[in-house]
Amino acid sequence: MDRAVRNPVVLTGDVHRAWASDLKADYNNANSATIGTELVTSSVTSSGDGDGSTSVPDVGTNPWLQFYNNRRGYVRATVSPTELRADFRNVAKVSEHGAAAATVKSFVVQDGHPGLQAV
């Protein structure tokens, strides 16, 4: 079945931090339509534990940024015909062998409805 992409999801990563943000048609317009989603994963195998900060940097200039985390980890994505679920998972210390991973935040992106919805 050939379907047009109605709300793209961009998957990027390896910046040593995790982000989730809405993609806007015009970032200079505060009322601009949300046209997609960007999920940025950190790098679970990189050195350095991160400081655990979850404060969105420069929140005044990044109002579309819905999530930020400064720990090493990954995004577990589950895709169905009606939605994409993204679970942001991290470990407190990559420097500690066997450290358990935990879900920090989860979002869904529903087909036909651009933008993140916290779970």
Side-chain angles (χ1 to χ4, degrees):
M1 176 183 217
D2 187 24
R3 291 180 35 175
V5 176
R6 293 188 286 180
N7 53 316
V9 176
V10 178
L11 304 172
T12 60
D14 199 16
V15 293
H16 304 270
R17 289 162 183 79
W19 296 316
S21 64
D22 291 330
L23 298 175
K24 297 297 195 172
D26 180 357
Y27 288 97
N28 292 316
N29 177 353
N31 298 316
S32 181
T34 298
I35 59 170
T37 302
E38 181 178 26
L39 304 173
V40 180
T41 187
S42 95
S43 46
V44 73
T45 59
S46 295
S47 62
D49 293 326
D51 65 12
S53 173
T54 57
S55 297
V56 172
D58 301 318
V59 69
T61 57
N62 294 311
W64 50 83
L65 194 58
Q66 303 295 316
F67 173 74
Y68 171 85
N69 186 263
N70 186 19
R71 287 268 190 239
R72 305 298 181 259
Y74 57 95
V75 176
R76 177 178 58 198
T78 307
V79 182
S80 77
T82 58
E83 72 179 23
L84 178 142
R85 179 185 173 112
D87 297 314
F88 284 84
R89 298 182 51 83
N90 71 25
V91 294
K93 294 186 175 208
V94 293
S95 59
E96 184 178 299
H97 181 72
T103 299
V104 179
K105 186 82 173 179
S106 296
F107 295 95
V108 294
V109 179
Q110 295 182 334
D111 184 38
H113 301 282
L116 294 158
Q117 297 174 36
V119 178

